[in-house]
Amino acid sequence: VKDPLTLLMPARPELTLEPERTALLIIDLNGKDAHPDYGVGRLLRGKGVDASEYYDRITDILPRIRKLWGACKQIGVPVIHLRVAARTTDSRDMNKAHQLLGPLLGWSPVGSPEWEFLAEAQPGTDEIVVNKTSTSVFSSTAIDQLLRNMGVECLIATGGATDLCVGYSVRDAADRGYRVIMVSDCTAAFTRETHEEALEGMDWGLIWVKTLDETLETLGYSDQDR
Amino acid sequence: VTDQSRSSPDAVGAALFPTIADPILRPAKTALLVVDMTKAQAHPGYGLGELARSKGMGDTFRGYYNRVAQLVPNVVKMREAVGALGGEVIHIRTVTQTSQMTELSDAHRAVGHCVGICPAGSPEAEILDDLQPTQRDILIDKISISPFNSSPLDQVLRNLGIDIVIVTGVRTNEAIELTAHGAADRGYWAILASDGCTTVSEELHGHTLRHVSFGMIKVKTTEEILRMLLYRDWSQCA
């Protein structure tokens, strides 16, 4: 549903990105939130809920995220990996909401398979990992300071889930003044409907929803650069 | 009142986010947040309403202002209860200190008037007459959608010893959702008053309430909230 408020808004200028002021965010592609055998996936299976749509979509977006990731490396855009992760083995440092939902959502204590990034999403050399104990990365980490130190003003968001960790992180980022691209075919939610509703809800002024190809174009990257 | 029986629109959500018991509302630990109830945002004669009319879209917004008129008495009831029981009432506005709104981000400035942001001194920056802050109330100004992104709300709540926020005001799918979510994400309980907030599209209002109602965000009606506060209006017994 489009917010009727958008009818009042002037046409938006095309987003311009300066690659030297941009960072790529790869959000929650660790065992707990992105692997069918761990964390959320295992708990859902135990409850007899079919979440294969979500995990199929994660499989689907991974090669596209890796393409964007490679392009970013090539043109010098820093890559930042986020995940929900405890610093402790008993997760007592997680936020209260995750403490309460922990038995239902699964924990991701340090060193566990839930905590580990997927094999296809292992952080590379000189890439940054930001561990959060909340849904939005801005609620529990120093990412705002880190991005300022790096001179980053624009963010490209990928990962899962579109309406939760990615959604609330990008809405907070845009609200704090970052120019944000939400990459529609590099993000996934538990259902197609939830994914599309979330994208539609955020695409009105502060966030630009773009496909991978459009994002590469905005970055000024073409396959010939490879 | 929107369908609250469903915690999420799909089976996955329902399995992931089962019911967690309601918190006990201790008044001294509770703050009522009244978000963006300025004339620019919530009075048909100013800000958004004026802009909509000038663009020939007054009809599209009529339902919104009707719903705002209906929610105001509910917020009044809640502020009376929270105030009488010794809780905190915090009014939050989206206003700038400069006339040209230079302290906004570029993207916020581009849509500023269309989302009801206005300079602090202007008549449209005033809070609705029926919700005028009392001497004891706290007023916090922000320059973003969520107060957690541009105001000291988190610090203020901690200083006041608040554990639970009741979120009311406009608009459900933006400031209300991000305020409730921002609070829960920081470890507060957030009670979202389903009949104490609204947005321009009724469908989006319902969609947002369904989407947020899990974990530490509880969607409740005014009546339920008053009951959770164990509030009795003794003036009725005279």
Side-chain angles (χ1 to χ4, degrees):
Chain A
V1 193
K2 204 81 188 156
D3 190 335
L5 206 60
T6 55
L7 300 171
L8 299 180
M9 295 177 187
R12 281 209 270 191
E14 191 44 49
L15 175 73
T16 51
L17 278 192
E18 299 146 80
E20 63 278 12
R21 298 200 177 281
T22 303
L24 171 68
L25 300 182
I26 303 178
I27 304 178
D28 285 7
L29 291 186
N30 55 316
K32 171 184 161 315
D33 287 307
H35 196 293
D37 295 340
Y38 301 118
V40 175
R42 189 176 49 200
L43 283 156
L44 284 173
R45 186 146 11 95
K47 289 171 193 287
V49 177
D50 178 16
S52 55
E53 187 181 340
Y54 174 67
Y55 294 99
D56 287 350
R57 190 143 166 86
I58 293 282
T59 310
D60 199 37
I61 64 173
L62 272 170
R64 283 196 290 273
I65 292 176
R66 289 175 63 87
K67 182 174 181 187
L68 181 55
W69 185 354
C72 286
K73 294 293 277 185
Q74 209 175 329
I75 58 179
V77 168
V79 180
I80 303 176
H81 303 260
L82 313 182
R83 67 178 153 190
V84 175
R87 297 167 185 83
T88 55
T89 49
D90 62 1
S91 298
R92 66 186 185 281
D93 60 313
M94 292 297 295
N95 81 355
K96 211 196 288 174
H98 280 82
Q99 293 277 352
L100 284 166
L101 288 166
L104 316 159
L105 284 181
W107 305 108
S108 45
V110 59
S112 67
E114 280 76 15
W115 177 84
E116 289 287 354
F117 288 104
L118 299 184
E120 301 89 338
Q122 289 287 330
T125 315
D126 243 7
E127 296 178 357
I128 293 173
V129 174
V130 175
N131 293 319
K132 59 195 168 84
T133 54
S134 57
T135 313
S136 164
V137 66
F138 290 93
S139 300
S140 65
T141 76
I143 195 166
D144 209 6
Q145 185 68 47
L146 184 141
L147 295 172
R148 271 169 225 274
N149 293 351
M150 293 167 73
V152 170
E153 294 171 3
C154 311
L155 295 170
I156 301 171
T158 65
T162 320
D163 57 323
L164 297 170
C165 289
V166 182
Y168 286 119
S169 294
V170 298
R171 290 169 73 184
D172 277 343
D175 206 23
R176 283 167 188 251
Y178 294 95
R179 280 179 277 160
V180 183
I181 293 185
M182 177 79 178
V183 192
S184 56
D185 52 358
C186 289
T187 47
F190 277 92
T191 67
R192 163 70 60 176
E193 190 194 1
T194 312
H195 176 72
E196 300 202 327
E197 278 172 352
L199 292 180
E200 189 174 34
M202 65 180 78
D203 191 20
W204 55 265
L206 305 184
I207 294 167
W208 280 259
V209 177
K210 289 181 183 288
T211 62
L212 169 63
D213 289 343
E214 290 166 346
T215 305
L216 290 172
E217 197 181 314
T218 308
L219 275 170
Y221 180 87
S222 70
D223 278 329
Q224 282 87 11
D225 297 339
R226 273 171 184 265
Chain B
V1 178
T2 328
D3 175 13
Q4 291 164 37
S5 58
R6 293 194 299 165
S7 61
S8 178
D10 54 73
V12 177
L16 275 181
F17 307 126
T19 315
I20 284 175
D22 290 341
I24 294 169
L25 277 194
R26 296 184 207 284
K29 299 259 173 205
T30 302
L32 175 72
L33 307 185
V34 184
V35 182
D36 284 340
M37 291 301 277
T38 57
K39 292 180 179 170
Q41 307 266 20
H43 189 298
Y46 297 82
L48 289 186
E50 202 177 17
L51 185 64
R53 225 177 16 258
S54 76
K55 297 200 169 198
M57 286 187 278
D59 285 347
T60 312
F61 284 72
R62 188 157 299 130
Y64 170 65
Y65 289 106
N66 288 339
R67 291 192 296 282
V68 168
Q70 286 162 17
L71 76 84
V72 168
N74 293 333
V75 178
V76 169
K77 268 186 221 166
M78 286 185 273
R79 75 182 285 185
E80 279 170 7
V82 169
L85 295 167
E88 298 288 346
V89 178
I90 303 178
H91 301 262
I92 300 170
R93 305 183 299 173
T94 316
V95 294
T96 61
Q97 296 182 52
T98 60
S99 59
Q100 299 304 308
M101 309 208 285
T102 46
E103 71 265 46
L104 295 180
S105 76
D106 291 345
H108 278 92
R109 200 177 317 102
V111 295
H113 288 296
C114 312
V115 292
I117 307 178
C118 56
S122 60
E124 57 182 5
E126 284 169 22
I127 290 170
L128 294 185
D129 294 344
D130 291 345
L131 293 173
Q132 276 297 311
T134 66
Q135 196 74 35
R136 196 179 183 283
D137 292 355
I138 291 171
L139 177 64
I140 292 181
D141 290 341
K142 62 180 166 99
I143 51 168
S144 58
I145 296 171
S146 165
F148 292 103
N149 286 329
S150 65
S151 87
L153 178 64
D154 191 21
Q155 189 67 42
V156 169
L157 294 173
R158 276 170 218 273
N159 292 350
L160 295 168
I162 298 299
D163 287 339
I164 303 174
V165 294
I166 302 169
V167 186
T168 66
V170 293
R171 285 175 299 278
T172 317
N173 54 316
E174 291 293 343
I176 299 303
E177 178 183 6
L178 290 188
T179 302
H181 183 270
D185 221 19
R186 286 169 177 77
Y188 302 95
W189 286 97
I191 315 279
L192 210 159
S194 56
D195 55 359
C197 65
T198 194
T199 191
V200 185
S201 152
E202 215 167 357
E203 199 180 346
L204 267 181
H205 173 76
H207 171 73
T208 306
L209 295 188
R210 281 192 300 279
H211 185 255
V212 299
S213 76
F214 68 91
M216 292 182 74
I217 304 179
K218 299 285 183 181
V219 178
K220 302 283 178 191
T221 64
T222 300
E223 281 309 310
E224 289 171 327
I225 291 167
L226 295 179
R227 214 159 40 230
M228 288 170 83
L229 283 164
L230 304 177
Y231 180 68
R232 300 283 180 282
D233 184 0
W234 298 107
S235 66
Q236 307 278 312
C237 302

